[in-house]
Amino acid sequence: MVDKDDFQCDFENKWCPGCGNFGILNAMKQALADLEMPPEKVLIVSGIGQAAKTPHFLKCNFFHGLHGRALPVATGAKTANRDLNILVNMGDGDCYGEGGNHFISAIRRNIDVTLLVHDNRIYGLTKGQASPTSERGFVTRLQPHGPRSDPMNPAALALSQGAGFVARGYVGNREHLTGLIKQGIEYSGFALIDIMQVCVSFNRVNTYEWYAERVYDANRAGHDENDFRAAMNLVFEDKEKIPTGLIYRKQTVPFSDRLGRPGPDALLREKYNPDKVQNLIDSA
Ligand SMILES: Cc1ncc(C[n+]2csc(CCOP(=O)(O)OP(=O)(O)O)c2C)c(N)n1
Ligand SMILES: [Mg+2]
């Protein structure tokens, strides 16, 4: 039996008291334990930012890489070892800004990972600049008039690029978020969970109170996650309400199955042979 505490790691944590990241960390542990995933079968990949520190606080395999580049690393890891359950933690800046192109490519390739975006609408680590999901006019110390650009719509972008699993969670609703993470892990293919995460230090607009007035459970309100048109309508809904839950799900062929390699984890079992590599270099 796998327990939530099996993932407990006592590395010093410097997230601010009240940070929404704690809720995501706890929901991840709960989801992994509920699914009976042994830590040695789990790999967490991240980039750079406060969100990207999440794997430091989980006792399992992890790779903390470059800003915006978590998804290419996850693609390589999954391609080499299909047995790994891979979760990717990225911030809104990390994923939708610096790593925006990788985000689109990962969707189109349908890499078999669960992407958790800690979407706090701000660059937290670098102390509060506007991110791709900040509203136009969102004033920061760097942008006294706010950004001039309109915010990105990650769920709509993911749907438009053919994503087979698109969900939106909220840190203030931990049980609901845990359920979405579990469904994302169980999904075969690329799963996006865009998580409304509160940054208590640098985003004084999108607070717990602000979300409490807007967030609702779309599935409970009758949304059918199998209906693509309904999903598209939902993600363009009036901004005064924020639908959360499973927005869209369809069956897809994951990237590892598209490669057509013989065994399920052949690359992992293949012995490293430097002569073969040298021959390849010499023949170029
Ligand atoms: C190539 C590169 N560009 C810029 C930075 C500076 N930088 C570090 S984290 C970050 C953005 C963090 O924002 P987000 O991804 O939303 O994460 P959060 O801290 O809000 O969780 C930036 C711009 C960097 N480390 N590397
Ligand atoms: Mg952020």
Side-chain angles (χ1 to χ4, degrees):
M1 188 182 147
V2 180
D3 193 85
K4 201 169 167 252
D5 288 341
D6 293 343
F7 291 92
Q8 182 61 35
C9 174
D10 297 323
F11 207 74
E12 193 187 3
N13 189 323
K14 292 201 171 157
W15 285 337
C16 309
C19 175
N21 284 336
F22 288 107
I24 300 175
L25 179 64
N26 273 314
M28 283 172 76
K29 283 187 198 165
Q30 190 63 57
L32 291 165
D34 288 355
L35 293 174
E36 296 283 332
M37 293 228 158
E40 65 272 20
K41 289 260 173 180
V42 177
L43 169 68
I44 316 280
V45 185
S46 70
I48 297 292
Q50 289 295 355
K53 292 181 186 171
T54 305
H56 296 194
F57 314 122
L58 284 155
K59 201 158 88 186
C60 59
N61 304 294
F62 82 84
F63 187 103
H64 187 174
L66 295 173
H67 198 22
R69 271 62 181 166
L71 287 167
V73 172
T75 306
K78 188 70 188 181
T79 306
N81 185 0
R82 296 178 195 194
D83 288 346
L84 281 175
N85 294 295
I86 304 185
L87 286 93
V88 179
N89 290 91
M90 300 184 84
D92 42 324
D94 195 27
C95 187
Y96 303 139
E98 189 80 16
N101 224 337
H102 293 301
F103 174 62
I104 295 171
S105 297
I107 295 170
R108 292 178 45 235
R109 291 192 176 117
N110 199 22
I111 66 166
D112 196 355
V113 303
T114 305
L115 171 63
L116 309 180
V117 183
H118 304 217
D119 191 350
N120 55 11
R121 307 184 182 205
I122 195 105
Y123 288 0
L125 184 91
T126 46
K127 299 189 165 43
Q129 301 81 23
S131 88
T133 51
S134 303
E135 286 290 329
R136 176 147 51 96
F138 172 81
V139 173
T140 71
R141 275 182 288 181
L142 190 72
Q143 293 115 329
H145 305 288
R148 311 283 184 182
S149 39
D150 288 318
M152 187 173 166
N153 186 330
L157 175 61
L159 287 171
S160 76
Q161 297 306 302
F165 185 106
V166 179
R168 192 184 283 140
Y170 168 50
V171 285
N173 195 346
R174 180 99 50 89
E175 224 172 287
H176 184 249
L177 177 60
T178 305
L180 292 176
I181 297 175
K182 283 188 336 197
Q183 291 180 79
I185 294 172
E186 286 183 315
Y187 178 73
S188 181
F190 183 81
L192 167 67
I193 308 176
D194 187 42
I195 305 169
M196 305 293 101
Q197 180 232 327
V198 173
C199 173
V200 291
S201 294
F202 300 109
N203 186 336
R204 302 293 171 89
V205 175
N206 309 112
T207 59
Y208 287 105
E209 294 74 25
W210 188 89
Y211 280 112
E213 282 170 17
R214 290 163 176 82
V215 160
Y216 74 96
D217 182 336
N219 305 104
R220 215 179 253 179
H223 172 65
D224 175 6
E225 69 268 20
N226 303 302
D227 184 339
F228 182 78
R229 299 275 156 211
M232 267 297 190
N233 284 337
L234 193 70
V235 296
F236 283 110
E237 217 173 59
D238 181 356
K239 283 190 184 146
E240 284 313 302
K241 287 188 280 168
I242 302 177
T244 58
L246 188 47
I247 294 170
Y248 185 58
R249 181 173 50 197
K250 69 172 173 184
Q251 221 182 338
T252 54
V253 181
F255 186 60
S256 36
D257 288 349
R258 298 178 187 194
L259 292 172
R261 199 175 295 119
D265 57 1
L267 197 57
L268 176 75
R269 308 258 177 257
E270 218 159 272
K271 270 208 142 153
Y272 173 59
N273 182 346
D275 292 342
K276 265 191 186 172
V277 179
Q278 195 54 52
N279 287 344
L280 198 66
I281 294 169
D282 293 344
S283 68

